[in-house]
Structures are given as C-alpha cells and as structure tokens.
Amino acid sequence: MAHRAQPVAAGLAAAALILALAFGTLGAVAWRAEGFGALAPADWAAIRFTVLQAVLSATLSCILAIPVARALARRNFWGRGLLITLLGAPFLLPVIVAVLGLLAVFGRSGLISEGLTWAGLDPLDIYGLPGVVLAHVFLNLPLATRLVLQGWLSIPAERFRLAAALGFTPADTRRVLEAPMLRTVLPGIFAVILLICMTSFAVVLTLGGGPKAATVELAIYQAFRLEFDLARAAKLALVQFALCGAAAGLAFAVSSPAGMGAGLDRAVARWDSATRHARLADGFWLGGATLFLLVPLGMIVAQGLAGLTDLPASIYAAAGRSLVTALGSAALTVGLALPMAMAACRLGPRLGGAVQAAGTVSIAASPLVMGTGLFILLFPVADPVALALPVTALVNAAMALPFALRALATAVAEIEAGYGKLADSLGMSGGIRLRLVLLPRLRRPLGFSLGLSAALSMGDLGVIALFADSSQATLPLQLYRLMAAYRMEAAAGAALLLLCLSLGVFWIFDRGGRAYAEA
C-alpha cells in the first residue's frame, strides 16, 4: 500500500545515508592510505595508550559506581531525586568545560594544589595519563552510576523481603542477590564506557601533556592538522575504526537482560542497610561522589562569573556559530531518526532491527575518522574549510542519531500499536497520519532528542578542530585556544557561557516537548 511505502522509503533512504557516511568515509580513508603499510613506533604507542587509558577509565568508573549506586538504591533522603537528576548533567556537559573545572580543582593552580603548597608540598600535576583518567572518570562515573542503579532497582522488593525472612546477613545479601545482578549489568556498562573513552578527543587534547600521552584520535589530528600527512592520518583512522568497532561489538555481545524476574512493584525495604556501619559507608560514598562532581561545576560558575567581563568579541561570534551549528545538527538528527523509527516499526522485527542497527553504526565510527574521510572526498571539488560548519553539523548529527533513534523508535512502536489499526481503517497516511497521529504523541521524545543532539553539538570539539580556521571557529574551539594561550580568566568566562548555552538549548527543547505533551 502507498501509505505504508512512504515512511519505509524515507527511513531506508535515511539509513542508506548513515551507512554511506560511516562506510563511505572509511572507504575514502582506506583509498587515500594507499596500502596499509607499517605503523611507526609513535603510532603503536598511541594505540597502546588509547587502550590503556580506556581500560583504566572504564574500570575505575565501574568500580566507583558500585558503592555510589548501592547507597542511592537503599537510602531515601531529602534531595535524593535532585542528586539522581544531577548525575545526568555531566553527560550534557561540554568536555572542554569539564576539563576546565577539573583544572580549577586538581590543576597546578587549583584548590588542592594551593592547599598542598601551603603545607609545603609540591602541587599536583594531572597532565598525562592521570589527568586523562581523572577526566574520564568525572564524565563517566555518573553514567555508570545511573546504569548500575537501574540494575539495583530491578531487583524486586520481594527478594529482599525473602532474604530478611531467611535471616540473611549483609554478606549473604551481597552474595545471593547483588553479585548476580552486577555480573549481569557490569560487563555491558564497562564496554560502553570503554567505547566512549576510546573516542574522547577533547580530553586528551587538553590534558594529554605530550607525545607519551597521545591517543589514536589525537595522532590523527596531529597528522592531519599539523603535518598534513593524509596517508598517515588515513592509516590511523582505519586503526581507530577497528578499535571502536571492536569495542562496540564487545558492548553488544556482553549486553544481557536482567534475570531477577518480576515483582509486585512494592517499595524496596532494605533491612540489611540498617546498621551504623552501612549508614556511614553510604554517607561517605554519596558525599564523596557529590563533592567530586559538583565542586568542579561550582568552580566553573564562580570563576566564569569573574571572567565574563574579559571576553573578547570573537567569543560571542563563535557562540553564534556554535548555536547555528547545534540547531542544524538537531534538525538533521531528528530528520533522520524519525523516518528511520517509522520504517523500523513498519518493517517488523527482522528488517526493522536492521534499520535500527544501521542507525547505530555511527557508534563505531569516530568523528575524526568521518571528518578525515569527508575532507578527502571534498578536497578535489570544494574548499573543506568553507564547509567546516555544515560538515560539523552533519557529523554531530550522525553521532547523536543512536540516542534519538532509541528514544523515537520505542515511542513510534507504542503509538502504532495503540492507534495504527484505527488510522489504517480511516485511510490516514503520509503527512496526515504523521501530523494527526504521530507528532502529537511524540512531542516528549522529539523534544528530548532535539535538546540532547543540540547540547552535544554545542560542546563538541572534534571535527571542527580539523576543518576550521579563525573565521569558522566555534565556541569550544575558541575556548581551547584561550586555554592554550593561558588566558584562563577569559577561558573561564567562555566556559560558563558554553555551559549555559548547552544546558539552555537542552532545557528549552526538552521542556517545550513536555509542555506541549501536557497541554
């Protein structure tokens, strides 16, 4: 039927575009490499450091998330909901802003170093591996905590009631109930964070501290931007794609559903946590995690307010370019995700699953790999620098697509299950079906998807670092240049401006979607 073919065709076209972007750029990189050849010792060092810092960061994030998530799961206190909400903030926080906040606390001139100097000790030096791991834990500990917390909350209250009736000690509860849950959820969480850390460019660019702390993505940037050695950049891009593909495959392979069964949705009462020792331990972990996450954010605000008066005019121009790019990226993200979600619903589990898999393939494709491939493709026919902002918006949209697609695909499937047959019987198809049936009920996930993709694009320091000159720089790139020039007061003001813009665009879109949905 024609009305069924329309969303399917649009969704397949969107999936084909993403596949072409991911594998077409990879093919261009492979073609430009002119044979894989031997990697230099510096390239092997970058590969080893990439894997080392990612493994350390993912391991520490998961280990620290366990006691924090346990404390949140078994304690009910004033502000608990707000704390859980704040745990989602670092995911929207621009990486370059997070780095500046960490430097304000842990850097050579930070709060801790000032205290050490006052005590007659040497200041901290977080550049290199320690700084990279610290920043990754700061950014990913909240994500790991939220995911582990979901695992804890998935254990039905009846299991804990039965454990109490059987006289389980806290050690028995950990062994029989909590350990099996952790064995189920932790491998997938570890693999996801491993992938995130492998593709973290801005952290290593600002905190790497030298050639010994260079990841593959930083080596791509140096080969491309500083040396203009496209062949080396292409070879490294292939290596990065292979690493990310392996990490993404691991994430999908080890993901498994929870096996605790269903309960009666009763509130969980934790008799095993009533001891003084348990209360002190939970307070320690919650207090420590709160300080670790909120003190750098507070320093960003405090120093940024003082630095707002020192901002050059170029910062505001860069902020405007960032905002335009973010809005374009958000529109592209939803423009791709919505038809793919509709096509996945129409095509059924097998073919629809293939469409959704095509939408998530960008997880394995590093932004710098895509950027390198697009530069190679555009260079013979156009000036890539002149197209820096559109290319950045396109790549950012591809990287945000998996999150938007997951939110929209579930919502579209629920709407079609509830209203699809009625819409078919009324002959509603095409734009009418979209306008009257889907869009009014998709405002929540659409608002969330637009806000998330816009916020992620606002704070991105990846592809734009490859392409842009001084006239095309976005706010994150200008912020990095201020930091490199040791203009830290102006950098703090720019960081606060970037933080407000990133959180602001997310709030406007997300709140707008929820407001219309409640009308």
Side-chain angles (χ1 to χ4, degrees):
M1 295 175 63
H3 71 275
R4 292 181 180 271
Q6 291 172 356
V8 169
L12 293 178
L17 176 61
I18 293 300
L19 291 174
L21 183 61
F23 293 107
T25 53
L26 181 65
V29 165
W31 169 77
R32 186 62 180 81
E34 298 176 354
F36 196 75
L39 293 171
D43 299 334
W44 284 111
I47 294 172
R48 288 192 295 270
F49 184 81
T50 299
V51 176
L52 174 63
Q53 61 83 21
V55 170
L56 287 176
S57 301
T59 301
L60 284 174
S61 297
C62 291
I63 290 175
L64 294 175
I66 293 172
V68 178
R70 180 195 289 123
L72 285 171
R74 64 186 187 180
R75 298 295 168 194
N76 189 14
F77 53 90
W78 183 87
R80 178 179 179 273
L82 177 61
L83 179 59
I84 293 176
T85 301
L86 289 175
L87 287 175
F91 187 71
L92 299 174
L93 188 68
V95 174
I96 190 71
V97 175
V99 168
L100 196 63
L102 290 173
L103 287 174
V105 178
F106 299 97
R108 293 187 64 86
S109 301
L111 291 177
I112 295 178
S113 290
E114 288 182 358
L116 292 174
T117 302
W118 179 82
L121 301 175
D122 293 332
L124 294 177
D125 183 8
I126 68 169
Y127 289 97
L129 180 61
V132 172
V133 173
L134 175 68
H136 280 155
V137 172
F138 176 80
L139 292 166
N140 293 302
L141 174 60
L143 173 63
T145 300
R146 289 289 295 267
L147 295 176
V148 175
L149 177 61
Q150 291 304 312
W152 242 290
L153 297 179
S154 70
I155 304 176
E158 289 73 26
R159 303 294 189 273
F160 291 106
R161 294 170 64 91
L162 180 59
L166 293 175
F168 275 26
T169 65
D172 293 329
T173 302
R174 288 194 295 269
R175 177 174 54 85
V176 176
L177 291 179
E178 296 178 339
M181 179 274 296
L182 291 174
R183 284 196 296 269
T184 299
V185 303
L186 278 181
I189 297 171
F190 174 86
V192 169
I193 295 177
L194 184 75
L195 177 62
I196 293 173
C197 294
M198 281 186 174
T199 57
S200 179
F201 169 70
V203 167
V204 185
L205 180 66
T206 52
L207 293 176
K212 293 183 179 180
T215 58
V216 175
E217 288 215 328
L218 184 58
I220 293 171
Y221 170 77
Q222 292 170 342
F224 185 94
R225 187 75 179 179
L226 304 180
E227 305 166 8
F228 202 69
D229 187 347
L230 291 182
R232 179 170 177 254
K235 284 192 291 186
L236 290 169
L238 291 174
V239 171
Q240 178 69 358
F241 189 91
L243 289 174
C244 293
L250 177 65
F252 284 111
V254 301
S255 298
S256 58
M260 288 294 173
L264 299 177
D265 296 328
R266 293 174 176 171
V268 177
R270 297 293 301 270
W271 292 272
D272 60 309
S273 62
T275 64
R276 174 182 171 85
H277 177 268
R279 288 195 295 269
L280 289 175
D282 289 347
F284 170 79
W285 287 108
L286 288 174
T290 302
L291 288 174
F292 178 61
L293 296 174
L294 296 188
V295 170
L297 294 178
M299 292 297 295
I300 293 170
V301 175
Q303 294 184 353
L305 290 173
L308 285 176
T309 58
D310 193 33
L311 291 180
S314 60
I315 288 295
Y316 296 103
R321 287 189 289 269
S322 287
L323 188 59
V324 171
T325 303
L327 295 177
S329 179
L332 278 172
T333 301
V334 171
L336 293 169
L338 183 55
M340 291 178 71
M342 296 168 64
C345 180
R346 290 287 186 180
L347 291 173
R350 180 173 296 180
L351 294 177
V355 172
Q356 293 194 52
T360 59
V361 74
S362 57
I363 290 177
S366 159
L368 288 188
V369 174
M370 285 189 185
T372 303
L374 287 171
F375 182 92
I376 292 170
L377 292 172
L378 291 173
F379 188 74
V381 296
D383 181 10
V385 175
L387 299 175
L389 296 182
V391 167
T392 300
L394 176 61
V395 174
N396 287 343
M399 302 312 295
L401 179 62
F403 305 104
L405 182 58
R406 181 171 182 177
L408 290 174
T410 301
V412 169
E414 292 177 353
I415 293 169
E416 287 290 343
Y419 301 93
K421 291 183 178 179
L422 177 60
D424 289 341
S425 68
L426 295 174
M428 300 176 67
S429 62
I432 295 177
R433 188 187 187 99
L434 178 65
R435 180 169 57 86
L436 297 181
V437 178
L438 289 175
L439 289 182
R441 296 166 180 85
L442 284 175
R443 280 169 173 160
R444 279 182 182 270
L446 279 174
F448 172 79
S449 299
L450 286 167
L452 179 63
S453 57
L456 293 177
S457 181
M458 277 292 308
D460 178 67
L461 179 61
V463 178
I464 194 66
L466 290 178
F467 285 85
D469 58 12
S470 57
S471 65
Q472 298 280 332
T474 58
L475 185 52
L477 185 56
Q478 286 289 72
L479 171 56
Y480 169 71
R481 290 172 176 172
L482 289 173
M483 293 173 63
Y486 297 100
R487 298 181 59 184
M488 301 309 293
E489 289 189 3
L496 180 58
L497 178 61
L498 178 56
L499 176 63
C500 293
L501 287 174
S502 298
L503 297 182
V505 293
F506 175 79
W507 182 84
I508 289 172
F509 281 119
D510 184 50
R511 182 70 185 95
R514 288 186 284 117
Y516 279 111
E518 293 162 1

